[in-house]
Amino acid sequence: MTTTGTSSTSTVGTSSAAAPLADARMLGLAHYAARGVLEHVLARHGVTFPQQIALRAAVTADAPRTPDELVAQVRASLKADPAGTRADLDALRAKELLAADGPHLLPTDAGRALLAAVGAEVAPHTARVWGGIPAEDLAAAGRVLALVAERAGKELAALEG
């Protein structure tokens, strides 16, 4: 294949088009495309993306969490407003996906079942999205994304300062 200028060609997948450089826009487009798939599934279950993140935090916790601990964990993941996360926790309680147990919020059987159902519904989509990407490309992307997340977290902390 002949190329002109300084563009490079991609060897990933079957496309021979020039590989775009990763940047904030590309990251955002990829994130929202993948999140859109998940949100479509979540909507059928009457749960929002932030509610699912809060529920998952409760389900995967190694010990029962207080509402404040769940808010802090969701904030660390989503950089979300604590008031919005508290509203999400209230909504999960109203839907009986989380239940109070003294000072803690625990996932209910319905909450665990919902996450399992969503996971099962999303799995084939995830397999098609991620399937066929070489492991070395995934490792490189993982390193870059971890670095971007770390740096962006520092920038946000400085802004909130």
Side-chain angles (χ1 to χ4, degrees), residues 11-113:
T11 59
V12 176
T14 59
S15 173
S16 62
L21 293 176
D23 61 12
R25 181 178 179 277
M26 290 283 299
L27 174 62
L29 291 173
H31 164 76
Y32 283 112
R35 182 172 164 175
V37 172
L38 176 58
E39 286 181 336
H40 185 82
V41 171
L42 290 170
R44 288 198 301 260
H45 292 276
V47 177
T48 67
F49 180 77
Q51 289 170 356
Q52 179 259 171
I53 296 296
L55 181 58
R56 183 169 303 284
V59 167
T60 60
D62 56 356
R65 300 281 191 239
T66 66
D68 288 345
E69 290 169 332
L70 288 171
V71 167
Q73 187 171 348
V74 171
R75 173 131 173 83
S77 296
L78 296 181
K79 311 306 183 233
D81 173 49
T85 301
R86 288 187 191 288
D88 289 331
L89 294 175
D90 290 343
L92 292 169
R93 286 184 67 194
K95 295 174 186 186
E96 299 182 348
L97 301 172
L98 287 177
D101 182 24
H104 301 107
L105 286 178
L106 302 177
T108 64
D109 289 342
R112 291 177 190 282

